[in-house]
Amino acid sequence: MRRLPHTPPRRAPRARRPLTWSGYTRRSGLLLTLSAFGLGASDTARAEGSAELGNYQTIQQATDIYVDVLDHTTETFVWTGTGSATLYAPDGSNLGSLARGSTYNPTQNGAYRLDIGSNQTNFNLTVDGATAGRVFSYTWDINASDYTSSMATNASFYALVDGGGAGRDGVVELKADGLAGFVYYIAANSIGVNGADGRSVSGSGTVVPEYRIYLNPPEVALYNPQPPTLSAEDFTAGSLDCDTVAAGEIDGEFSFNSDVSGTYHLVCDLNHDGAFDIVSDGDLHVMGTVGIGLNTVPWDGTDNNAAPVTPGVYECQITVTVGEFHYVASDIETSYEGFRLFSVDGSDGRTPLYMYWNDSAVQSSAVRMPNNAYGLETSGPDGIYSGSYATAAIPNVNARSWGRFQSTSKGNNNLLDTYTWIYEDITDIFSLRVEDPNANSDGDELLDVVETCEVGTDPTNPDTDGDGIWDDDEHLTVGTDPLDPDSDGDGLSDGDELGSVGSPTDTDHDGLIDAMDPDDDGDGVSTATELLEGDSDADGVDDYLD
């Protein structure tokens, strides 16, 4: 069922910090220029920076700027700016302070990090020998100083995304048209806001930067993502691997095999409309990361809002994507006309992608856009198609759009997630059952779902094996097998040997009740054998008890 790309102080190298949004302080900063120099070492040089971002997009001090060096024997790079920056080598070593206007001759290949000391703007970084994008950050932290359209950016950002396994990657372009925030950041990952399952979030939330965000299509990219293939999809619950779950009583587990690493979307059609909708709370939607091989996803029988799912039978399916890209817009008040997402290939071609989002948590703060329409609450289950690269962005038609270049909108102080992917595979549809956690059809002390998934007894019959002892007494109190009328296999039914539930018979006082003891009198001869002999000594007591 595979579908290919959608078409119609200075410090040592640090881990990328999670971005936790709890409100920015509006501030201005000193300006730095990283500008192009004529290096003379090669006829090929590429300058990147302010021309791509736009002149009003001040880069904040929190931004770590990286530059790729692919051949240190021939390549150099140079920068200028207000003050100096600390340079770190790809191996993490501190190379010291790089003064304004300095040319650096690298000694190893890889990504060099510039740790800037103050807010910067109007920068260009030139790499001698580059023919495509070399400049990137995991988080472009930007101060545009205003919300207005004149301070907006029409930049493109290029995410180097996971390609499904080692030695594979892809590139997704975010092509902006009127992206306007005051202070905001550009970051991307494969799952969006932590714990939000692809939904936009009102107020605070944590986004872990994962992908390199380039200002041009990256020269280092391999452009070879692998289409996924899924198999062995299933749902099981309880010790008996049933297909039934009950919130608070029996949890279950989805499982599937994947031949790629990527992102999964698990959807169950809770509203029975036949659509598997990843952007509506009418269906269950759970997402996370996928590894190569067997993957499992636990489920407790609750919906997207943590409420127990109504008992019934539901159809589910699992999608695994490669190259999934989540752009979480942090405190961006406007996207108008709107941005679009495209897959970029090694020949610099563009394939339009479908965009998905669920803004239900923030839609109440939506304002009318300049065209007097509201930005869509969701993309719908089929997504919004970005369309031809050469076509203009049209709000709500082929573009992700909201706001009106002012301080209020659904983007203000919120995290708006928009996502897409390059390849996907979808499992066959499979079913599961949700049981009422309080259901007890036969009136014993075992809930229906416990009988079905843990014990194996008939939830409509209090004495499944017909031995005269109720299932709950056998399972919970006596210890006999509620599925076997003769638990010890001695030829006598459990009911005949038990005596009473409160005081079970133990003829030989060995601590093993007769119903579980194959030699009831402890004489070394099995009860089954002695049953055949009856009362051999005619003392009025059968041999198996004598």
Side-chain angles (χ1 to χ4, degrees):
M1 298 178 64
R2 184 187 312 158
R3 294 188 294 194
L4 295 184
H6 288 305
T7 57
R10 308 303 178 217
R11 50 200 179 275
R14 58 196 175 200
R16 296 188 294 280
R17 70 193 192 287
L19 303 172
T20 302
W21 164 251
S22 59
Y24 278 108
T25 299
R26 307 303 187 189
R27 60 193 184 274
S28 60
L30 300 176
L31 305 184
L32 164 72
T33 303
L34 290 172
S35 59
F37 277 69
L39 301 179
S42 169
D43 292 334
T44 302
R46 190 178 187 94
E48 301 177 77
S50 61
E52 286 81 7
L53 290 172
N55 292 330
Y56 300 107
Q57 311 304 305
T58 299
I59 302 301
Q60 306 234 89
Q61 183 181 352
T63 302
D64 286 330
I65 300 173
Y66 295 80
V67 55
D68 286 331
V69 172
L70 304 186
D71 184 357
H72 70 275
T73 65
T74 62
E75 296 175 359
T76 62
F77 60 86
V78 64
W79 74 288
T80 61
T82 301
S84 60
T86 301
L87 184 65
Y88 291 90
D91 64 6
S93 58
N94 188 330
L95 301 175
S97 180
L98 195 61
R100 182 182 188 273
S102 298
T103 298
Y104 183 75
N105 297 308
T107 58
Q108 57 183 282
N109 293 344
Y112 287 74
R113 175 163 67 90
L114 288 87
D115 188 1
I116 58 180
S118 60
N119 294 355
Q120 318 290 344
T121 195
N122 292 333
F123 78 90
N124 286 289
L125 177 61
T126 300
V127 180
D128 181 46
T131 59
R134 296 292 189 92
V135 177
F136 71 91
S137 179
Y138 290 96
T139 305
W140 291 103
D141 204 329
I142 297 172
N143 186 340
S145 300
D146 207 340
Y147 311 98
T148 62
S149 59
S150 62
M151 308 300 283
T153 182
N154 296 328
S156 280
F157 298 90
Y158 299 86
L160 183 63
V161 299
D162 173 63
R168 291 184 176 273
D169 62 40
V171 176
V172 173
E173 177 184 359
L174 186 156
K175 189 176 190 298
D177 184 343
L179 194 67
F182 198 121
V183 176
Y184 63 97
Y185 62 73
I186 301 289
N189 62 24
S190 58
I191 61 170
V193 183
N194 282 1
D197 291 320
R199 299 172 186 83
S200 298
V201 174
S202 175
S204 63
T206 299
V207 181
V208 179
E210 179 181 355
Y211 295 142
R212 296 180 175 190
I213 307 294
Y214 285 81
L215 300 181
N216 285 287
E219 191 167 345
V220 72
L222 300 173
Y223 299 98
N224 62 346
Q226 176 182 338
T229 300
L230 307 181
S231 61
E233 62 276 4
D234 198 8
F235 177 81
T236 57
S239 60
L240 299 179
D241 291 338
C242 69
D243 64 353
T244 302
V245 64
E249 291 293 340
I250 299 293
D251 293 348
E253 184 178 79
F254 295 91
S255 60
F256 60 95
N257 287 322
S258 173
D259 66 344
V260 299
S261 58
T263 302
Y264 73 81
H265 295 264
L266 165 66
V267 184
C268 293
D269 182 17
L270 300 186
N271 58 14
H272 296 292
D273 66 355
F276 295 88
D277 193 342
I278 64 176
V279 297
S280 168
D281 288 335
D283 286 343
L284 174 70
H285 175 221
V286 181
M287 62 177 297
T289 57
V290 169
I292 297 174
L294 177 65
N295 293 265
T296 58
V297 182
W299 186 49
D300 61 1
T302 62
D303 63 16
N304 296 339
N305 298 311
V309 170
T310 302
V313 176
Y314 298 95
E315 292 185 330
C316 305
Q317 67 178 15
I318 299 168
T319 298
V320 166
T321 68
V322 167
E324 181 153 334
F325 166 93
H326 286 248
Y327 166 55
V328 182
S330 170
D331 195 25
I332 294 183
E333 283 73 19
T334 303
S335 173
Y336 187 86
E337 308 283 342
F339 65 79
R340 296 177 292 155
L341 302 176
F342 299 88
S343 174
V344 183
D345 63 34
S347 300
D348 208 31
R350 303 295 194 275
T351 299
L353 300 173
Y354 285 86
M355 300 177 289
Y356 300 88
W357 66 87
N358 180 350
D359 286 351
S360 58
V362 301
Q363 189 67 15
S364 61
S365 299
V367 299
R368 294 187 183 274
M369 298 182 291
N371 66 356
N372 208 37
Y374 289 100
L376 296 175
E377 179 173 332
T378 81
S379 62
D382 297 326
I384 294 293
Y385 187 55
S386 296
S388 170
Y389 194 77
T391 301
I394 305 172
N396 292 346
V397 176
N398 67 354
R400 170 69 150 125
S401 312
W402 69 84
R404 59 181 300 113
F405 301 106
Q406 62 185 29
S407 61
T408 57
S409 80
K410 66 180 178 181
N412 182 45
N413 289 339
N414 296 324
L415 298 171
L416 305 191
D417 188 359
T418 310
Y419 56 100
T420 190
W421 53 80
I422 299 175
Y423 291 117
E424 67 178 19
D425 191 26
I426 306 175
T427 67
D428 291 331
I429 296 171
F430 57 98
S431 297
L432 58 81
R433 179 181 296 276
V434 175
E435 183 65 81
D436 180 351
N438 300 310
N440 187 354
S441 301
D442 56 13
D444 59 14
E445 295 299 320
L446 297 174
L447 297 171
D448 287 359
V449 69
V450 173
E451 294 205 58
T452 301
C453 295
E454 295 290 352
V455 184
T457 48
D458 182 353
T460 65
N461 183 353
D463 182 10
T464 299
D465 59 7
D467 61 2
I469 311 173
W470 276 28
D471 295 339
D472 56 339
D473 288 331
E474 294 204 66
H475 180 69
L476 299 174
T477 305
V478 178
T480 51
D481 186 350
L483 298 174
D484 187 346
D486 181 9
S487 296
D488 57 7
D490 61 3
L492 294 172
S493 76
D494 294 344
D496 290 337
E497 293 191 274
L498 182 65
S500 69
V501 172
S503 182
T505 300
D506 179 6
T507 299
D508 56 7
H509 305 290
D510 64 352
L512 193 63
I513 65 173
D514 287 2
M516 297 289 290
D517 190 347
D519 180 8
D520 292 337
D521 58 4
D523 62 358
V525 182
S526 71
T527 296
T529 298
E530 292 189 290
L531 275 175
L532 300 176
E533 298 173 356
D535 178 11
S536 62
D537 59 3
D539 63 355
V541 179
D542 285 341
D543 289 357
Y544 78 93
L545 297 175
D546 190 358

